[in-house]
Amino acid sequence: MFELRSALLDLDEDVERLSRGIKAAGAVSAAISQDHFYEEGLYAVCDYLYEAQKKLRRDLDRCLEQVREQPPEVAG
């Protein structure tokens, strides 16, 4: 169980880095002029990534909650 908990905590850090990257890409998208050729496509990609990140965060939080509820294994 310890290995699973450790892996989930590592994944939690990765999800946070992903979230910061998506926010940065969204800021770039917002900064691009409305008449710029790539603005709409960049916005669509940012929106897709944001939605995927929200679902990943939700699912990871559920996994972490279940691991926290598990009693620690007794070494035998």
Side-chain angles (χ1 to χ4, degrees):
M1 184 60 70
F2 179 76
E3 289 179 26
L4 176 59
R5 184 174 301 176
S6 179
L8 287 172
L9 291 173
D10 288 345
L11 184 57
D12 185 55
E13 291 177 17
D14 294 337
V15 170
E16 287 305 310
R17 282 194 293 275
L18 175 64
S19 179
R20 288 191 299 271
I22 292 169
K23 288 176 185 175
V28 169
S29 175
I32 293 176
S33 168
Q34 291 294 333
D35 59 295
H36 194 276
F37 180 73
Y38 298 107
E39 190 270 334
E40 187 175 318
L42 183 57
Y43 176 79
V45 168
C46 288
D47 189 51
Y48 170 78
L49 290 172
Y50 177 73
E51 289 300 316
Q53 184 271 337
K54 278 189 349 184
K55 290 176 183 178
L56 179 60
R57 174 85 267 162
R58 181 196 65 216
D59 293 345
L60 178 58
D61 287 346
R62 286 179 183 167
C63 290
L64 286 167
E65 184 67 29
Q66 287 183 7
V67 168
R68 286 184 188 116
E69 292 174 359
Q70 296 287 328
E73 291 182 1
V74 177

